[in-house]
Amino acid sequence: MRHKTKRHILGVSASHRSALLGNLSVALIEHGRIKTTLAKAKALRPFIEKIITFAKKAEAANDSARKLHFRRLAISRVRDRVAVAKLFDERAGEFTSRSGGYTRIIKLGTRIGDAAEMALIEFLDASDEGYAKPKKASGRKAAAQKAPAADSEKPAAEEVSVAEEVPAAETEESAEDNAKAAAEEAVAEVTEATEPEIETKEK
């Protein structure tokens, strides 16, 4: 079994990766949106969201020692006091109503040159509800909703079938009458044609 396969390695050493994610976090905090490769954006998302969680915990803490503790934890990861101060003092209030999902990744396609997949990663606004997902009924509720719909469809289907059968019966009767009339006319013509021949033979 392959263990530790969920980490974003990015093809660099551990110290390089931590410095890279710290620099990307500083740029994202300062600008609110950055353009990078899709792999780096996916690696940055859990990293920066943990820093935002520190900011939320610091804002909700009543003790100044706890607030300082969370700020120092963020500084140890981001490595920029100015960016951490901006996040904790100015932007932390934007995420108080959210329980997660503070960032969004938008794919941009491939980059000319090395064909690397590019993406935008940005902070979500406090009023942004994201994409609406349709709700699906499951279990007994879904079966209960389907059953009345099926019952309501049956009478309509029966009415349609009855309505379709009536003209078909009428057309069949009219066709039989036409066939009988044509047969009678043919017999009459045959008898008219044979009567003179019989009379001539008798003479």
Side-chain angles (χ1 to χ4, degrees):
M1 179 180 285
R2 302 275 299 176
H3 295 284
K4 298 182 180 180
T5 58
K6 299 299 182 183
R7 183 189 293 176
H8 299 278
I9 302 299
L10 300 179
V12 294
S13 61
S15 58
H16 188 170
R17 182 170 52 254
S18 63
L20 172 64
L21 295 177
N23 292 335
L24 290 173
S25 300
V26 171
L28 184 59
I29 293 168
E30 290 179 354
H31 303 289
R33 171 190 287 184
I34 59 173
K35 179 181 178 182
T36 182
T37 61
L38 182 60
K40 290 178 183 176
K42 287 182 176 181
L44 178 61
R45 171 186 269 178
F47 184 86
I48 192 64
E49 289 192 356
K50 288 174 184 175
I51 305 302
I52 294 170
T53 303
F54 289 152
K56 287 177 63 178
K57 288 181 178 179
E59 188 179 21
N62 297 325
D63 187 5
S64 60
R66 294 227 13 117
K67 291 184 178 181
L68 182 60
H69 170 67
F70 289 121
R71 189 178 292 253
R72 284 174 173 171
L73 287 176
I75 291 171
S76 68
R77 288 164 173 79
V78 176
R79 306 179 186 185
D80 192 308
R81 294 177 182 272
V82 177
V84 170
K86 182 177 180 180
L87 177 63
F88 276 62
D89 299 335
E90 300 176 13
R91 309 208 63 167
E94 299 178 6
F95 308 108
T96 53
S97 60
R98 288 183 174 275
S99 58
Y102 311 115
T103 58
R104 174 191 292 147
I105 295 175
I106 303 171
K107 295 180 181 180
L108 300 177
T110 56
R111 179 168 58 191
I112 297 174
D114 60 352
E117 293 187 17
M118 303 300 293
L120 281 176
I121 181 168
E122 61 183 0
F123 285 130
L124 290 177
D125 296 331
S127 60
D128 195 338
E129 297 179 357
Y131 300 108
K133 295 182 179 179
K135 295 183 179 179
K136 295 182 180 179
S138 60
R140 296 179 182 175
K141 292 182 179 179
Q145 291 175 357
K146 289 180 181 179
D151 295 338
S152 61
E153 290 175 359
K154 286 181 181 178
E158 291 176 357
E159 291 175 2
V160 171
S161 62
V162 171
E164 291 176 353
E165 287 175 0
V166 172
E170 292 178 357
T171 54
E172 288 177 1
E173 291 177 359
S174 60
E176 289 177 359
D177 295 339
N178 294 337
K180 288 180 180 178
E184 290 175 359
E185 290 177 0
V187 170
E189 290 177 358
V190 170
T191 53
E192 289 177 0
T194 54
E195 282 178 359
E197 295 178 356
I198 294 169
E199 291 176 357
T200 53
K201 286 180 181 179
E202 290 176 355
K203 291 177 181 180

mmCIF file of all heavy atoms in Angstrom, residues 78-101:
data_model
loop_
_atom_site.group_PDB
_atom_site.id
_atom_site.type_symbol
_atom_site.label_atom_id
_atom_site.label_comp_id
_atom_site.label_asym_id
_atom_site.label_seq_id
_atom_site.Cartn_x
_atom_site.Cartn_y
_atom_site.Cartn_z
ATOM 1 N N VAL A 78 3.905 31.660 7.310
ATOM 2 C CA VAL A 78 3.894 32.601 6.180
ATOM 3 C C VAL A 78 5.221 33.355 6.075
ATOM 4 O O VAL A 78 5.647 33.718 4.978
ATOM 5 C CB VAL A 78 2.710 33.584 6.334
ATOM 6 C CG1 VAL A 78 2.714 34.638 5.241
ATOM 7 C CG2 VAL A 78 1.391 32.817 6.299
ATOM 8 N N ARG A 79 5.859 33.646 7.201
ATOM 9 C CA ARG A 79 7.185 34.299 7.244
ATOM 10 C C ARG A 79 7.136 35.754 6.790
ATOM 11 O O ARG A 79 8.105 36.258 6.212
ATOM 12 C CB ARG A 79 8.208 33.530 6.392
ATOM 13 C CG ARG A 79 8.321 32.052 6.735
ATOM 14 C CD ARG A 79 9.314 31.375 5.850
ATOM 15 N NE ARG A 79 9.328 29.934 6.062
ATOM 16 C CZ ARG A 79 10.179 29.102 5.487
ATOM 17 N NH1 ARG A 79 11.094 29.572 4.653
ATOM 18 N NH2 ARG A 79 10.133 27.809 5.733
ATOM 19 N N ASP A 80 6.004 36.414 7.006
ATOM 20 C CA ASP A 80 5.905 37.836 6.659
ATOM 21 C C ASP A 80 4.976 38.497 7.673
ATOM 22 O O ASP A 80 3.756 38.256 7.657
ATOM 23 C CB ASP A 80 5.373 38.012 5.242
ATOM 24 C CG ASP A 80 5.537 39.438 4.751
ATOM 25 O OD1 ASP A 80 5.110 40.368 5.451
ATOM 26 O OD2 ASP A 80 6.093 39.630 3.650
ATOM 27 N N ARG A 81 5.515 39.332 8.540
ATOM 28 C CA ARG A 81 4.727 39.945 9.604
ATOM 29 C C ARG A 81 3.698 40.929 9.042
ATOM 30 O O ARG A 81 2.586 41.032 9.580
ATOM 31 C CB ARG A 81 5.650 40.668 10.592
ATOM 32 C CG ARG A 81 6.548 39.748 11.367
ATOM 33 C CD ARG A 81 7.487 40.522 12.278
ATOM 34 N NE ARG A 81 8.392 39.627 12.995
ATOM 35 C CZ ARG A 81 8.104 39.064 14.166
ATOM 36 N NH1 ARG A 81 6.948 39.303 14.760
ATOM 37 N NH2 ARG A 81 8.986 38.269 14.758
ATOM 38 N N VAL A 82 4.054 41.632 7.993
ATOM 39 C CA VAL A 82 3.133 42.630 7.429
ATOM 40 C C VAL A 82 1.904 41.947 6.828
ATOM 41 O O VAL A 82 0.765 42.378 7.042
ATOM 42 C CB VAL A 82 3.864 43.474 6.365
ATOM 43 C CG1 VAL A 82 2.898 44.470 5.720
ATOM 44 C CG2 VAL A 82 5.044 44.206 6.991
ATOM 45 N N ALA A 83 2.128 40.868 6.068
ATOM 46 C CA ALA A 83 1.007 40.154 5.462
ATOM 47 C C ALA A 83 0.127 39.514 6.534
ATOM 48 O O ALA A 83 -1.110 39.545 6.432
ATOM 49 C CB ALA A 83 1.538 39.087 4.508
ATOM 50 N N VAL A 84 0.739 38.946 7.576
ATOM 51 C CA VAL A 84 -0.044 38.339 8.647
ATOM 52 C C VAL A 84 -0.845 39.409 9.382
ATOM 53 O O VAL A 84 -2.021 39.192 9.741
ATOM 54 C CB VAL A 84 0.875 37.566 9.612
ATOM 55 C CG1 VAL A 84 0.117 37.139 10.861
ATOM 56 C CG2 VAL A 84 1.462 36.356 8.911
ATOM 57 N N ALA A 85 -0.254 40.571 9.624
ATOM 58 C CA ALA A 85 -0.987 41.654 10.289
ATOM 59 C C ALA A 85 -2.176 42.105 9.448
ATOM 60 O O ALA A 85 -3.259 42.374 9.986
ATOM 61 C CB ALA A 85 -0.044 42.827 10.549
ATOM 62 N N LYS A 86 -1.998 42.170 8.125
ATOM 63 C CA LYS A 86 -3.117 42.558 7.249
ATOM 64 C C LYS A 86 -4.235 41.525 7.303
ATOM 65 O O LYS A 86 -5.420 41.875 7.341
ATOM 66 C CB LYS A 86 -2.607 42.719 5.813
ATOM 67 C CG LYS A 86 -3.675 43.175 4.839
ATOM 68 C CD LYS A 86 -3.098 43.381 3.453
ATOM 69 C CE LYS A 86 -4.189 43.844 2.491
ATOM 70 N NZ LYS A 86 -3.653 44.062 1.120
ATOM 71 N N LEU A 87 -3.857 40.248 7.318
ATOM 72 C CA LEU A 87 -4.865 39.193 7.360
ATOM 73 C C LEU A 87 -5.597 39.188 8.697
ATOM 74 O O LEU A 87 -6.837 39.102 8.731
ATOM 75 C CB LEU A 87 -4.198 37.829 7.126
ATOM 76 C CG LEU A 87 -5.111 36.606 7.207
ATOM 77 C CD1 LEU A 87 -6.185 36.643 6.135
ATOM 78 C CD2 LEU A 87 -4.302 35.324 7.090
ATOM 79 N N PHE A 88 -4.871 39.305 9.804
ATOM 80 C CA PHE A 88 -5.499 39.217 11.120
ATOM 81 C C PHE A 88 -6.297 40.466 11.460
ATOM 82 O O PHE A 88 -7.355 40.370 12.094
ATOM 83 C CB PHE A 88 -4.417 38.983 12.191
ATOM 84 C CG PHE A 88 -4.035 37.550 12.363
ATOM 85 C CD1 PHE A 88 -3.471 36.825 11.322
ATOM 86 C CD2 PHE A 88 -4.220 36.912 13.568
ATOM 87 C CE1 PHE A 88 -3.113 35.504 11.477
ATOM 88 C CE2 PHE A 88 -3.869 35.585 13.747
ATOM 89 C CZ PHE A 88 -3.316 34.871 12.694
ATOM 90 N N ASP A 89 -5.814 41.645 11.036
ATOM 91 C CA ASP A 89 -6.449 42.896 11.456
ATOM 92 C C ASP A 89 -7.533 43.366 10.476
ATOM 93 O O ASP A 89 -8.523 43.957 10.903
ATOM 94 C CB ASP A 89 -5.395 44.002 11.601
ATOM 95 C CG ASP A 89 -4.359 43.646 12.662
ATOM 96 O OD1 ASP A 89 -4.690 42.843 13.567
ATOM 97 O OD2 ASP A 89 -3.217 44.148 12.569
ATOM 98 N N GLU A 90 -7.358 43.113 9.168
ATOM 99 C CA GLU A 90 -8.269 43.676 8.178
ATOM 100 C C GLU A 90 -9.202 42.640 7.544
ATOM 101 O O GLU A 90 -10.385 42.906 7.367
ATOM 102 C CB GLU A 90 -7.460 44.367 7.068
ATOM 103 C CG GLU A 90 -6.588 45.506 7.561
ATOM 104 C CD GLU A 90 -5.735 46.103 6.453
ATOM 105 O OE1 GLU A 90 -6.014 45.789 5.263
ATOM 106 O OE2 GLU A 90 -4.808 46.859 6.755
ATOM 107 N N ARG A 91 -8.679 41.477 7.213
ATOM 108 C CA ARG A 91 -9.458 40.529 6.410
ATOM 109 C C ARG A 91 -10.086 39.394 7.192
ATOM 110 O O ARG A 91 -10.895 38.636 6.642
ATOM 111 C CB ARG A 91 -8.571 39.932 5.318
ATOM 112 C CG ARG A 91 -7.822 40.958 4.498
ATOM 113 C CD ARG A 91 -7.530 40.469 3.120
ATOM 114 N NE ARG A 91 -8.747 40.212 2.350
ATOM 115 C CZ ARG A 91 -8.746 40.011 1.030
ATOM 116 N NH1 ARG A 91 -7.606 40.044 0.360
ATOM 117 N NH2 ARG A 91 -9.864 39.787 0.398
ATOM 118 N N ALA A 92 -9.766 39.243 8.451
ATOM 119 C CA ALA A 92 -10.310 38.114 9.219
ATOM 120 C C ALA A 92 -11.817 38.215 9.371
ATOM 121 O O ALA A 92 -12.525 37.206 9.419
ATOM 122 C CB ALA A 92 -9.649 38.050 10.594
ATOM 123 N N GLY A 93 -12.347 39.443 9.428
ATOM 124 C CA GLY A 93 -13.791 39.618 9.588
ATOM 125 C C GLY A 93 -14.602 39.143 8.394
ATOM 126 O O GLY A 93 -15.807 38.893 8.524
ATOM 127 N N GLU A 94 -13.964 39.021 7.225
ATOM 128 C CA GLU A 94 -14.689 38.564 6.042
ATOM 129 C C GLU A 94 -15.047 37.083 6.116
ATOM 130 O O GLU A 94 -15.936 36.635 5.389
ATOM 131 C CB GLU A 94 -13.848 38.811 4.780
ATOM 132 C CG GLU A 94 -13.520 40.270 4.540
ATOM 133 C CD GLU A 94 -12.642 40.458 3.321
ATOM 134 O OE1 GLU A 94 -12.399 39.445 2.615
ATOM 135 O OE2 GLU A 94 -12.185 41.580 3.075
ATOM 136 N N PHE A 95 -14.362 36.324 6.961
ATOM 137 C CA PHE A 95 -14.538 34.878 6.974
ATOM 138 C C PHE A 95 -15.238 34.368 8.233
ATOM 139 O O PHE A 95 -15.320 33.159 8.433
ATOM 140 C CB PHE A 95 -13.169 34.193 6.862
ATOM 141 C CG PHE A 95 -12.339 34.695 5.712
ATOM 142 C CD1 PHE A 95 -11.228 35.493 5.939
ATOM 143 C CD2 PHE A 95 -12.667 34.381 4.409
ATOM 144 C CE1 PHE A 95 -10.462 35.961 4.890
ATOM 145 C CE2 PHE A 95 -11.902 34.842 3.346
ATOM 146 C CZ PHE A 95 -10.799 35.632 3.586
ATOM 147 N N THR A 96 -15.734 35.281 9.076
ATOM 148 C CA THR A 96 -16.357 34.836 10.323
ATOM 149 C C THR A 96 -17.643 34.049 10.066
ATOM 150 O O THR A 96 -17.981 33.130 10.816
ATOM 151 C CB THR A 96 -16.675 36.050 11.213
ATOM 152 O OG1 THR A 96 -17.433 37.007 10.457
ATOM 153 C CG2 THR A 96 -15.402 36.688 11.720
ATOM 154 N N SER A 97 -18.380 34.381 9.007
ATOM 155 C CA SER A 97 -19.644 33.696 8.717
ATOM 156 C C SER A 97 -19.446 32.410 7.924
ATOM 157 O O SER A 97 -20.418 31.724 7.625
ATOM 158 C CB SER A 97 -20.581 34.629 7.942
ATOM 159 O OG SER A 97 -19.994 35.028 6.723
ATOM 160 N N ARG A 98 -18.202 32.106 7.560
ATOM 161 C CA ARG A 98 -17.914 30.895 6.788
ATOM 162 C C ARG A 98 -17.271 29.843 7.674
ATOM 163 O O ARG A 98 -16.438 30.161 8.518
ATOM 164 C CB ARG A 98 -16.970 31.197 5.623
ATOM 165 C CG ARG A 98 -17.603 31.979 4.503
ATOM 166 C CD ARG A 98 -16.623 32.161 3.356
ATOM 167 N NE ARG A 98 -17.275 32.785 2.230
ATOM 168 C CZ ARG A 98 -17.961 32.119 1.303
ATOM 169 N NH1 ARG A 98 -18.048 30.814 1.385
ATOM 170 N NH2 ARG A 98 -18.544 32.757 0.312
ATOM 171 N N SER A 99 -17.671 28.605 7.449
ATOM 172 C CA SER A 99 -17.068 27.498 8.198
ATOM 173 C C SER A 99 -16.013 26.775 7.375
ATOM 174 O O SER A 99 -15.536 25.717 7.765
ATOM 175 C CB SER A 99 -18.156 26.496 8.607
ATOM 176 O OG SER A 99 -18.826 26.006 7.467
ATOM 177 N N GLY A 100 -15.638 27.312 6.250
ATOM 178 C CA GLY A 100 -14.625 26.705 5.382
ATOM 179 C C GLY A 100 -14.828 27.182 3.960
ATOM 180 O O GLY A 100 -15.781 27.901 3.655
ATOM 181 N N GLY A 101 -13.929 26.786 3.085
ATOM 182 C CA GLY A 101 -14.060 27.197 1.693
ATOM 183 C C GLY A 101 -13.801 28.680 1.510
ATOM 184 O O GLY A 101 -14.641 29.408 0.983
#
